[in-house]
Structure formats: structure tokens, C-alpha cells
Amino acid sequence: MENTLDKRLKKLKEEVYISNIELVKKNLVVFTFGNVSGIDRKSGIIAIKPSGVDYDKLTPETMVLVDLEGNKIDSNLNPSSDTKTHIKLYKAFPDIGSVVHTHSRFATSWAQAKKPILCLGTTHADYFYGEIPCTEVISDEQIAKDYEEETGNLIVEAFKNKGIDYHHIKACLVSSHGPFTWGKDPEEAVFISSILEEIAQMNFNSILINPKLENTKKTLIDKHYLRKHGKHAYYGQQ
Amino acid sequence: MENTLDKRLKKLKEEVYISNIELVKKNLVVFTFGNVSGIDRKSGIIAIKPSGVDYDKLTPETMVLVDLEGNKIDSNLNPSSDTKTHIKLYKAFPDIGSVVHTHSRFATSWAQAKKPILCLGTTHADYFYGEIPCTEVISDEQIAKDYEEETGNLIVEAFKNKGIDYHHIKACLVSSHGPFTWGKDPEEAVFISSILEEIAQMNFNSILINPKLENTKKTLIDKHYLRKHGKHAYYGQQ
Amino acid sequence: MENTLDKRLKKLKEEVYISNIELVKKNLVVFTFGNVSGIDRKSGIIAIKPSGVDYDKLTPETMVLVDLEGNKIDSNLNPSSDTKTHIKLYKAFPDIGSVVHTHSRFATSWAQAKKPILCLGTTHADYFYGEIPCTEVISDEQIAKDYEEETGNLIVEAFKNKGIDYHHIKACLVSSHGPFTWGKDPEEAVFISSILEEIAQMNFNSILINPKLENTKKTLIDKHYLRKHGKHAYYGQQ
Amino acid sequence: MENTLDKRLKKLKEEVYISNIELVKKNLVVFTFGNVSGIDRKSGIIAIKPSGVDYDKLTPETMVLVDLEGNKIDSNLNPSSDTKTHIKLYKAFPDIGSVVHTHSRFATSWAQAKKPILCLGTTHADYFYGEIPCTEVISDEQIAKDYEEETGNLIVEAFKNKGIDYHHIKACLVSSHGPFTWGKDPEEAVFISSILEEIAQMNFNSILINPKLENTKKTLIDKHYLRKHGKHAYYGQQ
């Protein structure tokens, strides 16, 4: 008889596997540039994509289990090289259940430009409660110390310094690198990656048409975000 | 025996359903970002997409019927959160039979840039008799009062203030939001959304090549619009 | 027994039909925005797409035959509204056997920008022996006189005034409108439309990266064009 | 009994054929604009795509064998018109086993803009150890002397003058022309072409958002390139 933890981890690996495949279907990754992880909060065990394995060779069983110290639990495969970044986010953002990293084209273009994605309209405000921040460029000390962990720190610091609530803006650009997103589960985190790419492309277009654009006013962001989220939401069938 | 109104409404729901699906096929919406409605003018009853339901779960039966005061008639589902905007347009533009709202990529990019789509050529002039206006940004008072209804008012005011005839320009950009289009029936309104997206993309390209472009001269717009529309039209097989 | 002219015209209609469909497959037209014609030079009879008919309703039989004065020969359908432009080109350019008009996205964007497509590299020079000209904007007098015929005149004048040989540059942009291309037969004319769209897109990218670009030097254009065309060609299997 | 050389060449032709087809599948060529070659280093024999043959008519047998002087060995078909450029690279870069030339859209756009592709982020640094150089414009003397061989010389000179190691940057843009890439075998060389196109597009976006961007700092390029390449690599399952 399987114990409950085993069952939960098996389900987690399946969800993480499906969401990694979903990244490909949604054109958010090319080749092996991307990874999804999910966490079982009770045990603190994370399932994550193995490093550098072609997407067509992935199965639920190839997902690698690691603990919050990064120790592998049951696999011969190496976990994603970005595992420590994921762990850092799980530690800093206690309510999230999944992290996604992609090199999706337009979100990455903004990260390379070292610019936040301003909130230019209601498509953005429907899903993100303000601009998507872009971190500082990683310092030479951080690169030398522990590159992947410090990448996580850059995200956490960006949210802390700018007073951003990770519950309401579930995405961050890492300067010169690319986007990370998160959510309550892999499905939501991938969905956020997908919305992020769409608004990244529309905002690219908008600022080329009108380079003077600034963030949409707070009252309009409030209206759209809050009609979909929180206790006064009236969008959908809830 | 079904009465005539029932038959008409059944047919309307089917048309509205088909056109909502058509939005997806034509890549004019991602996820649930878009809605089509149609009206039965005799009874004043509108069929509209339900709010926040995935496109693959829609059927003709899930289309929600509402009257011109926004009261639901026969459904357990909530109508689109944009229903009041649609109603405003049906009241102000008495000859239209359908309204479409999308977040299509390039039209939305122009709305976010708060710029009208100038008439830069004959592709535009074949379908729209002049530039596509962009509304004022919604005021804080309007947001507080009734956001969706006031969105409709912004469109109506833009057409009134600029002296534009809604019969000949069947589209409007709402600042910081996205496009609304209309037509005699859902098929035409979706077609207009599709043409709008195409010209939005070409005009984006054109103004990046040559930022000084202005509207095409009136004589050329007249020629193209009027060879397709009105009593002197000679395009097609009529 | 069919006579020879009938056989030739039947074959011509088939070729013109196939090439009209090819425009759709190559994404060079949306909706009904485009037309291909071909000419039987012996009889001076042209086969052309009917006006405003959906592509999925076209058959070889629906292609309309007209003479060089624009008179219909055997059809109940109206020929393309651009027929007089095609005829003008057949009269001015005696060696061509087909004319194609599209509203393909990037070529049309350049036409709307009222700019020629400079020869910025070897992809261009492999197929066009210099920049693709853009006509003058049509005058009010020309619009009033005979719009479609004068559109043809604009193209002919552009080639004459700039001393361009239509054998070596088989495309022209009409200001505020879109591209026309030609060739020895419908297959070649559609191929040229397709190459034109590709270089229109690459040149758009290149001038955004480097706005100061000018035409590639003559020696490089000569090398590439002449290694593929004319008696010293050494490209391919000839 | 086949001798060993025959077996090796048969296998090489198959690999070169497959990789030429792969270029089409990955949308890196339109029409016949592109070619892949591979070399058997023991014998110095190269297999290369024939010149100007449609991709759907290619088979492994149609690949043309030439020696390092450019002499055809066993074919009635002409080799790619770019054969001498490939040969030049095989001679100058002794460790490579394959060369690829494409006119892929964004890489060609940069070549036409006569600009290197800066290293703007980790997607780039994962595969290329610094910026992708762009050659000088070919001189009139070089065009007159031996155009294709001199194109190879431009690439070799660019690497020599800038002190770039061809093992770590496996791509070069030829000014006003397009990209060449290489690798240990055809599969790798095509993969590099594909990555190059992706970063060419992202960098296009990034410099339009922020025209002041410069190369990413050396420490970050080192980190990403070296975590994937060389003896301290820790990416993947090695």
C-alpha cells in the first residue's frame, strides 16, 4: 500500500511534467530553455525538470525530486541547473506552489533591455497588479558566490525594495537573463508565463508607437485587477 | 410548438456562439479575452458570451440572454463582464446587430499607445471610411460610477465629438484597453475585428518606417471606400 | 474537337486559378485582397480572378476572360476591380505573361510608408536588380479620370522616369496602396510576390536596426543578380 | 564489399541531406536560400547541397561530393554556388565538420544592417562566448577576384582580426549577405543556426526597447558559457 506522501509526490511529478510540456505547446521555450517545478509544502519536497534533457524524452518519472536544501531524493538525473533559484523563491514566497522559468521571446527581450514591463493597459491589469519589475544586474560577487541562488536573491530583493506583493504580481524579469513566474500550482504558473509573454509583446509594440508611455493610472489598474481578484471580484462565474 | 421569438433567439445564440469561436480561430483572442454579442432588435434581447468561461466549454446553449437593462432572462451563468458596454452601444447605435470586443495584439497595442489608427492606405479605406478613433482615457469619476457602462459612453462620445458616422467606421479603440467593433450581425462584426487587426499591424510597420505619415488624402479614401460601399459601389458581384 | 485557342485559354484559366490559390497558401492575401491574371499573348485574352469572390469558392471555371480593352468574353461574373491596372501593365510591358496584386503585410507597409524598398543585401539582389520603386501618390485628377487605369500608369511612369527595366525588377509598390508584381507566367509572378514580401520584412528589420542604410553597392548587386540571371549565370543546374 | 571510405561518404551524404531538410523544418530557409555541407576529414571530401534544386527534390543521393580544391567527385549536379566559401572555412577552421549558410530572417536583417549581434543576455551566452561578429563589406577587388572564396576570407579575417576563437563562437554574419554557422557535424551546425536566429530576433527587440545596450559583462558571459561548455561544465547530465 502506497503511503500518502508517495501518492502526493507521484501526482506532483505528473503535474510538473505536464506543465513542462505545456511550455513547449505554448511556444514559450525553444530547445531545452525552460523549466517548471512544483512543491509539496507539507514535506518540503520539490519536483523539477531534469537538466538539459530534450523535451521529447521527458516523462513524469524523469522529474527530479529535491528537498529545500537542494539534495536529490530519488533520481539518477541532475535537476535543472536553475534549481537553487527555484528553492530561493519557495523559501521567500511561502504561499506559492510552483515556479516557472522560460526564455520566451518578448519577456526575455525586455529582460535583456533591463527594463520593467510597465502596466500599459487592462490586459496587463487583469492579471498583474502593477508593472513587472526587472532586477538589478547580478554583481560579480554574486556570480562568484552562488550564481543560481543569488539569481533568486535578486528577485526577492527586487520585490522587497519596491514593496511589491508577490501574491499580486506573480512574475519578475531577471536583468540580462529572462522571466520567472510563479503560482499556486504548475498550471497557474505556466498560465502566468503565457500572459506575461503576451503583454510583453503588446507593450513592445505600444512603446514603439508612443515612447512616452507611463504606467496606467492606479484607479484603472485597481478597477481591472480587483474585478477579477479578491473579495469584490465580479468577473467569471464565482 | 415553438413561438417565433424562441426560434429567433435560438438562432441568435447559435450565431453568437459561432462568432465567439471564430474569434479564437482567427487568433483574435488568447484565453478568455474577448466576447461577441448579438441583438434581436424586435424584442430588444441580447445574446452574449458568459463571463470567464473557457472557449472549449462554450456551446450555443451557454450564451446568456439579457435585456437592454442588463437583466438576465434565462441563464444561470453570468454574462460577460463587458455586457453594459455592449448595451450602451446597442442603445446609441440603433442600426447595429452585433458588438465584438477583443484584446487582439496590434489593435490593443495602439489602444495602449492611446493613438488613433490613421488611414494610411487602401486596405484601410476599403473597409473604414477614415481613421479609427481612440477614446479619451476614462476618468476617475467614470470608473467609480459604472466602469463598463462608462466605457460604452467613451466610445459614443468619441464618435459624437469627432462627428464620425458609426455606419462607416465600425470600430473604436478604448484608451489603455482595446478595440470594440460592430456590424449588422456577428459575422460582420468579427470580420471587422479581423480587418482591424490586420491594418493595425500594417500601420504599426508603416509608422516605424516613416513616422511622419498622416491620413491618406480624402479623395483616395473616398474612391476606395465608395467603390465597395453605397449606391455607386462597383466592387464584387452586386 | 476543341480548337487550339480554347485549349490554351482553358489551360490559362487553370494556371491563373492555381496561382490565386497559391497566394492564400503563401499567406500573401487575407480575405479577398489579391488577384492574379495571366495573358494569352497570341489572342490578347486575359484570364483574371473574379471580383470579391471568396477564395474557397473559386474554381478554374470562375476565372473571367477579358480582352485588352477590358471587355468580358464569356462570363457572368465581374472581373477583379483591378483589371484595368493589369491591362495597363500588359500593354506597357510586352514580355510579361502574368500580373499579381496583393496586400501582403510588409510590402504593403512599405507602400503605405511611401518608400522604395532599398536593396540592402544579396537576398534582394538575387532576385531584383536594384531597389523596388514606389510610385508617386495618385493625383486627384487621376482618381477622377479612371482610378484603376491610372494606377497602372503610375507604375509605368515610375519605371520610365527612373529608367528601370521591367525585365530585371519585376515588382513595384503603389503609394498608399500595395505591391504589384509580374513574370513570364502566373507561377513566376506569384514567386516574385513571395520573395518581395520576404525582403520587405527583412528590410523593415534592417532599417530599424540601422536607419542610415543605403542601397548596396552596384558591384555586389551585379555579382549576385548576374550569377543567377543572364548569359553568365552559374547558379543552379543550367 | 563496400570499402570504408564509401561507407563513410554514404553516411555523410545522409547526414548532410537530413540537415538540409532540417533547415526547412525549422523555418531557416525560404525557397532554396540555404545550404549545409559536411566533411570527411580523413579523405578531405565534402558533401554539399546541389545548387538551386528545390528542397522537395533533394535526396541523400543528390548531395554533391567535392574535394578541398572544389573538384566534383561523382555527380552530374553542380554543387551549391557557395561551395568555395564552405571550403575556405574547412581549411581555416580545422576542427569543424560542417558548415551551414542560411538567409534566416533576423540574422540576415542584422547582416544587412552591417552590425554584430551583441551578447545581451544569458540565452546568447549559453551558446556563444561573446558577440557574433559581422564582416567588412566585400571589396570590389574581392568581388572581381573570386566572390565565393573571398566571402570565406572575410569570415576568416574577421575572426583573426578580432582574436575570436571559432571553437567558442560558431557563427559569423557576412555584411549585406547573411549568416554562416559551423559545428562538429551537420546536426550541431544547424542547431547553431537555429539558436542564432532566435537570439537575432530577441536582440532586435531589445535594442529597439533600449538602443544604448552594450555587451553583457564578461563575468556573466563566462558564468553562462562555462557552466555549459568546457571541463567545469555542470549543465545537463554529463
Side-chain angles (χ1 to χ4, degrees):
Chain A
M1 199 183 112
E2 286 187 88
N3 72 32
T4 314
L5 177 60
D6 280 356
K7 282 188 188 170
R8 292 205 315 270
L9 294 178
K10 193 180 171 194
K11 183 161 172 286
L12 183 65
K13 281 173 149 188
E14 279 168 10
E15 288 174 359
V16 168
Y17 163 74
I18 288 169
S19 292
N20 272 295
I21 298 301
E22 195 66 16
L23 285 189
V24 181
K25 288 192 191 161
K26 290 194 188 309
N27 289 314
L28 297 170
V29 297
V30 283
F31 305 106
T32 63
F33 306 175
N35 40 70
V36 179
S37 72
I39 190 167
D40 177 69
R41 281 285 177 190
K42 267 195 201 166
S43 62
I45 295 176
I46 295 161
I48 191 165
K49 181 167 157 285
S51 181
V53 175
D54 283 353
Y55 276 84
D56 55 10
K57 287 182 183 149
L58 295 182
T59 62
E61 292 71 36
T62 59
M63 298 299 110
V64 181
L65 295 180
V66 297
D67 66 22
L68 278 164
E69 305 316 308
N71 302 306
K72 283 204 286 181
I73 291 182
D74 72 342
S75 180
N76 292 320
L77 293 170
N78 296 330
S80 165
S81 55
D82 297 313
T83 299
K84 285 186 181 174
T85 314
H86 290 238
I87 289 175
K88 197 77 204 178
L89 296 178
Y90 286 123
K91 286 182 174 170
F93 301 160
D95 293 338
I96 66 175
S98 175
V99 172
V100 172
H101 173 47
T102 77
H103 288 232
S104 70
R105 195 170 288 155
F106 281 89
T108 302
S109 299
W110 282 96
Q112 292 190 160
K114 304 176 193 173
K115 298 273 189 189
I117 300 180
L118 297 182
C119 179
L120 298 183
T122 61
T123 322
H124 185 123
D126 278 340
Y127 294 96
F128 303 100
Y129 197 27
E131 72 180 54
I132 313 298
C134 185
T135 69
E136 294 294 308
V137 175
I138 195 164
S139 71
D140 291 357
E141 292 70 30
Q142 289 177 304
I143 293 172
K145 195 177 165 196
D146 189 324
Y147 175 68
E148 289 82 8
E149 187 172 322
E150 294 298 326
T151 297
N153 273 331
L154 285 169
I155 296 170
V156 174
E157 290 300 313
F159 273 63
K160 194 174 155 190
N161 293 340
K162 294 174 189 173
I164 304 172
D165 183 338
Y166 74 88
H167 297 87
H168 298 304
I169 295 184
K170 297 175 182 173
C172 187
L173 305 179
V174 177
S175 270
S176 308
H177 189 147
F180 283 81
T181 65
W182 47 85
K184 64 179 190 293
D185 54 28
E187 187 180 350
E188 190 195 16
V190 168
F191 176 77
I192 296 290
S193 284
S194 186
I195 299 287
L196 179 66
E197 179 62 9
E198 185 66 29
I199 63 158
Q201 182 162 1
M202 294 204 304
N203 283 21
F204 172 78
N205 296 341
S206 294
I207 62 109
L208 290 189
I209 297 171
N210 185 352
K212 292 178 185 165
L213 293 173
E214 296 183 1
N215 278 314
T216 297
K217 63 182 177 179
K218 181 83 170 61
T219 47
L220 185 54
I221 296 176
D222 279 352
K223 182 67 198 178
H224 265 263
Y225 190 75
L226 301 175
R227 81 175 185 171
K228 282 209 171 187
H229 304 269
K231 62 182 175 181
H232 298 296
Y234 57 92
Y235 177 92
Q237 303 298 333
Q238 68 276 62
Chain B
M1 200 182 110
E2 286 187 87
N3 71 32
T4 314
L5 177 61
D6 280 357
K7 282 188 187 168
R8 291 204 317 269
L9 293 179
K10 194 180 171 195
K11 182 160 172 288
L12 183 65
K13 281 173 150 190
E14 279 168 10
E15 288 174 359
V16 168
Y17 163 74
I18 288 169
S19 291
N20 272 294
I21 297 302
E22 196 65 17
L23 285 188
V24 181
K25 288 193 190 160
K26 290 194 186 309
N27 288 313
L28 298 171
V29 296
V30 284
F31 305 106
T32 63
F33 305 175
N35 40 69
V36 178
S37 72
I39 190 168
D40 177 69
R41 281 286 177 189
K42 267 195 200 165
S43 62
I45 295 176
I46 294 160
I48 191 164
K49 182 168 156 282
S51 181
V53 174
D54 283 353
Y55 277 85
D56 55 10
K57 288 184 184 147
L58 294 181
T59 62
E61 292 70 37
T62 59
M63 299 299 110
V64 181
L65 295 180
V66 297
D67 65 23
L68 278 164
E69 307 315 310
N71 303 306
K72 284 203 286 182
I73 292 182
D74 72 342
S75 178
N76 291 319
L77 293 170
N78 296 331
S80 166
S81 56
D82 297 313
T83 299
K84 284 186 182 175
T85 315
H86 290 237
I87 289 175
K88 196 79 205 177
L89 296 179
Y90 286 123
K91 286 182 174 171
F93 301 160
D95 293 337
I96 66 176
S98 175
V99 172
V100 172
H101 173 46
T102 77
H103 288 233
S104 70
R105 194 170 288 155
F106 281 89
T108 302
S109 298
W110 282 96
Q112 291 190 159
K114 304 176 195 173
K115 297 273 189 187
I117 300 180
L118 297 183
C119 179
L120 298 183
T122 61
T123 323
H124 186 124
D126 277 340
Y127 294 97
F128 302 100
Y129 198 28
E131 72 180 56
I132 313 298
C134 186
T135 69
E136 294 295 308
V137 174
I138 194 164
S139 71
D140 292 356
E141 291 69 29
Q142 290 177 302
I143 294 172
K145 193 177 166 195
D146 189 323
Y147 175 67
E148 289 81 8
E149 186 171 322
E150 294 298 325
T151 297
N153 273 332
L154 285 169
I155 296 170
V156 174
E157 290 301 314
F159 273 63
K160 194 173 155 189
N161 293 340
K162 294 173 190 175
I164 303 172
D165 184 337
Y166 73 89
H167 297 87
H168 298 304
I169 295 184
K170 297 175 181 171
C172 187
L173 305 179
V174 176
S175 271
S176 307
H177 189 147
F180 283 80
T181 65
W182 48 85
K184 65 178 190 294
D185 55 29
E187 187 180 352
E188 189 194 17
V190 169
F191 177 77
I192 295 290
S193 285
S194 187
I195 298 286
L196 179 67
E197 180 62 9
E198 186 66 28
I199 63 157
Q201 182 161 1
M202 294 203 304
N203 283 22
F204 172 78
N205 297 340
S206 294
I207 62 109
L208 290 189
I209 296 171
N210 185 353
K212 291 178 186 166
L213 292 173
E214 296 182 0
N215 278 314
T216 297
K217 62 183 178 180
K218 181 85 169 61
T219 48
L220 185 55
I221 296 176
D222 279 351
K223 181 69 198 178
H224 265 264
Y225 190 76
L226 300 176
R227 82 175 184 172
K228 282 209 171 186
H229 304 269
K231 61 182 175 181
H232 298 297
Y234 58 91
Y235 178 92
Q237 303 299 333
Q238 68 276 62
Chain C
M1 200 181 111
E2 284 187 88
N3 72 32
T4 313
L5 176 60
D6 280 355
K7 281 187 186 169
R8 291 205 318 269
L9 293 179
K10 194 181 171 194
K11 184 160 171 290
L12 183 66
K13 280 174 150 188
E14 279 168 11
E15 288 175 359
V16 168
Y17 163 73
I18 288 169
S19 291
N20 272 296
I21 298 302
E22 196 66 16
L23 285 188
V24 181
K25 287 192 190 161
K26 289 194 187 309
N27 288 313
L28 297 170
V29 296
V30 284
F31 304 106
T32 62
F33 306 174
N35 40 69
V36 178
S37 72
I39 190 168
D40 176 70
R41 281 287 177 189
K42 267 195 202 165
S43 62
I45 295 176
I46 295 161
I48 192 164
K49 182 168 156 283
S51 181
V53 174
D54 283 353
Y55 277 84
D56 55 10
K57 288 183 183 148
L58 295 182
T59 62
E61 292 71 36
T62 59
M63 298 299 110
V64 181
L65 295 180
V66 296
D67 65 24
L68 279 164
E69 307 315 309
N71 302 307
K72 284 203 286 182
I73 290 182
D74 71 342
S75 179
N76 292 319
L77 293 170
N78 296 331
S80 166
S81 55
D82 297 313
T83 298
K84 285 187 182 174
T85 314
H86 290 237
I87 288 175
K88 196 79 204 176
L89 296 179
Y90 286 122
K91 286 183 174 169
F93 300 161
D95 293 337
I96 66 176
S98 175
V99 172
V100 172
H101 173 47
T102 78
H103 288 233
S104 71
R105 195 171 287 156
F106 281 89
T108 302
S109 299
W110 282 97
Q112 291 190 159
K114 303 176 194 173
K115 298 273 189 186
I117 300 180
L118 297 182
C119 179
L120 298 182
T122 62
T123 322
H124 186 123
D126 278 341
Y127 295 97
F128 302 100
Y129 198 26
E131 72 180 54
I132 313 297
C134 186
T135 68
E136 295 294 308
V137 175
I138 195 164
S139 70
D140 291 356
E141 291 70 29
Q142 289 177 303
I143 293 172
K145 193 177 165 197
D146 188 324
Y147 175 68
E148 289 81 9
E149 186 172 322
E150 294 299 325
T151 297
N153 274 332
L154 285 169
I155 295 171
V156 175
E157 290 301 313
F159 273 63
K160 192 172 157 190
N161 293 339
K162 293 174 190 173
I164 304 172
D165 184 337
Y166 73 89
H167 298 86
H168 298 305
I169 295 184
K170 297 174 181 171
C172 186
L173 305 179
V174 176
S175 271
S176 308
H177 189 149
F180 283 80
T181 65
W182 47 85
K184 65 178 190 294
D185 54 29
E187 187 180 351
E188 190 195 16
V190 169
F191 177 77
I192 295 290
S193 284
S194 187
I195 298 286
L196 178 68
E197 180 61 9
E198 186 65 28
I199 63 157
Q201 182 163 2
M202 295 204 303
N203 283 23
F204 172 78
N205 296 340
S206 294
I207 63 108
L208 290 189
I209 296 171
N210 185 354
K212 291 177 185 166
L213 292 173
E214 297 183 359
N215 278 313
T216 298
K217 62 184 178 178
K218 180 83 169 61
T219 48
L220 185 55
I221 296 176
D222 279 351
K223 182 68 198 177
H224 265 263
Y225 190 75
L226 300 176
R227 82 175 186 172
K228 284 209 170 187
H229 304 268
K231 61 182 175 180
H232 298 297
Y234 58 91
Y235 178 91
Q237 302 300 333
Q238 66 276 62
Chain D
M1 199 182 109
E2 285 188 89
N3 72 32
T4 314
L5 176 61
D6 279 356
K7 281 188 187 168
R8 293 205 315 270
L9 293 179
K10 193 181 171 195
K11 183 161 172 289
L12 183 66
K13 281 175 151 187
E14 278 169 10
E15 288 175 359
V16 168
Y17 163 73
I18 288 169
S19 291
N20 272 295
I21 298 301
E22 196 65 18
L23 286 188
V24 181
K25 286 192 191 162
K26 289 193 187 309
N27 289 314
L28 297 171
V29 296
V30 284
F31 305 107
T32 63
F33 306 174
N35 39 70
V36 178
S37 71
I39 191 168
D40 177 69
R41 281 287 176 188
K42 267 194 201 166
S43 62
I45 295 176
I46 294 161
I48 191 164
K49 181 167 157 284
S51 181
V53 175
D54 283 353
Y55 276 84
D56 55 10
K57 288 183 183 150
L58 295 181
T59 61
E61 293 71 35
T62 59
M63 298 298 110
V64 181
L65 295 180
V66 296
D67 66 23
L68 279 164
E69 307 316 309
N71 303 305
K72 285 203 286 180
I73 292 183
D74 72 342
S75 180
N76 291 320
L77 293 171
N78 296 330
S80 164
S81 55
D82 297 313
T83 299
K84 285 186 181 175
T85 314
H86 289 238
I87 288 176
K88 197 78 205 175
L89 296 179
Y90 286 122
K91 287 183 173 170
F93 300 161
D95 293 339
I96 66 176
S98 175
V99 172
V100 173
H101 173 47
T102 78
H103 288 233
S104 71
R105 196 170 288 155
F106 281 89
T108 302
S109 299
W110 282 96
Q112 292 190 159
K114 304 176 194 173
K115 297 272 189 189
I117 300 180
L118 298 183
C119 179
L120 299 182
T122 62
T123 321
H124 185 123
D126 278 340
Y127 294 96
F128 303 100
Y129 198 26
E131 72 179 55
I132 312 298
C134 186
T135 69
E136 294 294 307
V137 175
I138 196 163
S139 71
D140 291 355
E141 292 69 29
Q142 289 177 303
I143 293 173
K145 194 179 165 196
D146 189 324
Y147 175 67
E148 289 81 8
E149 187 171 323
E150 293 298 326
T151 297
N153 273 333
L154 285 169
I155 296 171
V156 175
E157 290 301 313
F159 273 63
K160 194 173 157 190
N161 293 340
K162 294 173 190 175
I164 303 172
D165 184 337
Y166 74 88
H167 297 88
H168 298 305
I169 295 184
K170 296 175 182 172
C172 187
L173 305 179
V174 177
S175 272
S176 308
H177 189 148
F180 283 80
T181 65
W182 48 85
K184 65 178 190 294
D185 54 28
E187 187 180 350
E188 190 195 15
V190 169
F191 177 77
I192 295 291
S193 284
S194 186
I195 299 286
L196 179 67
E197 180 61 10
E198 186 66 28
I199 63 158
Q201 182 162 2
M202 296 204 302
N203 283 23
F204 172 78
N205 296 340
S206 294
I207 62 108
L208 290 189
I209 297 171
N210 185 353
K212 292 178 186 166
L213 292 173
E214 296 183 359
N215 278 313
T216 298
K217 63 183 177 178
K218 181 83 170 62
T219 47
L220 185 55
I221 296 176
D222 279 352
K223 183 67 199 177
H224 265 263
Y225 189 75
L226 300 175
R227 81 175 185 171
K228 282 209 170 187
H229 304 270
K231 62 182 175 181
H232 298 298
Y234 58 92
Y235 177 92
Q237 302 299 333
Q238 66 276 64

